[in-house]
Amino acid sequence: MGRSRYAITEPQQAHFMTCTVVEWLPVFTRPETVQILLDCWQFQRQQVGLKLYGYVILENHLHFIAQSTALDKCVASFKAYTARRIIDHLQAKQAEHLLQRLRFAKCAHKHDREFQFWQEGVHAELILNEAMMREKLDYIHANPVKRGYVNLPEHWRYSSAANYAGLGGLIEIDTW
């Protein structure tokens, strides 16, 4: 099998990644579901040495740039943990429409779960140099502006743009 353009080929190097909710469902419209993501990244930074250089969380997907000695394992753990916690939250809130869609989206070959939360894969791109890092950070931070949600990147609450603007963000990041 050939190498995927989106594989984490050098897990100890920084990568730009995208994680998307199945069917592009708008799950991150409530602070509680976003907080699950932020808490997981915070834990991984403190306990497993993840370096988180930038992120943006939109209603149905997220982009982030991270590095770790075992980035592939960190990302797999992130996706598994956040999926479980978000599904638990949705069940507690009786969000039946979303749960029905997540149940329907479950891949037929998955027998170990009732729901599928994240699309398969992370669409990882190796950060090759300083210019590419700047390009990806700018892309991440401009996402909410391009969608018309805010006028300035640092005004989007669920992004590291405020960290880079010296305003402090919701979580600490590792500035590049």
Side-chain angles (χ1 to χ4, degrees):
M1 180 175 171
R3 280 190 155 180
S4 168
R5 173 178 157 207
Y6 296 115
I8 297 176
T9 56
E10 298 183 40
Q12 72 287 358
Q13 299 297 319
H15 282 71
F16 166 83
M17 291 166 279
T18 301
C19 297
T20 306
V21 179
V22 294
E23 296 187 2
W24 292 83
L25 294 169
V27 177
F28 304 120
T29 57
R30 300 269 189 249
E32 301 87 23
T33 52
V34 174
Q35 194 62 48
I36 292 168
L37 304 173
L38 298 173
D39 289 346
C40 187
W41 276 329
Q42 194 84 321
F43 175 84
Q44 287 186 323
R45 285 187 70 249
Q46 294 169 350
Q47 302 298 320
V48 295
L50 178 77
K51 289 185 177 181
L52 181 65
Y53 296 114
Y55 70 91
V56 67
I57 302 166
L58 297 162
E59 68 276 5
N60 52 23
H61 71 288
L62 57 93
H63 301 290
F64 65 108
I65 300 172
Q67 180 177 358
S68 172
T69 55
L71 186 58
D72 47 351
K73 290 182 178 138
C74 277
V75 172
S77 173
F78 172 82
K79 288 180 74 175
Y81 176 80
T82 57
R84 180 74 263 148
R85 289 282 317 280
I86 291 167
I87 289 166
D88 289 347
H89 173 77
L90 294 173
Q91 288 175 319
K93 294 293 183 185
Q94 298 178 336
E96 290 305 320
H97 177 71
L98 280 174
L99 290 167
Q100 180 183 21
R101 299 307 307 155
L102 296 173
R103 193 177 289 114
F104 179 78
K106 180 190 75 83
C107 295
H109 66 280
K110 303 254 181 171
H111 301 291
D112 62 336
R113 66 193 71 173
E114 182 180 357
F115 303 98
Q116 179 76 24
F117 184 79
W118 295 111
Q119 288 182 11
E120 296 291 328
V122 293
H123 303 285
E125 292 183 60
L126 178 64
I127 301 294
L128 300 172
N129 52 44
E130 183 79 30
M132 186 177 186
M133 176 62 88
R134 176 55 35 213
E135 173 192 321
K136 295 302 184 184
L137 283 170
D138 289 346
Y139 172 81
I140 283 172
H141 295 151
N143 237 269
V145 176
K146 287 179 186 171
R147 288 174 168 243
Y149 297 160
V150 292
N151 291 325
L152 296 171
E154 58 270 23
H155 291 167
W156 186 251
R157 181 173 180 78
Y158 303 125
S159 163
S160 57
N163 299 76
Y164 280 94
L167 302 173
L170 293 177
I171 60 171
E172 286 186 45
I173 61 162
D174 301 282
T175 54
W176 182 255

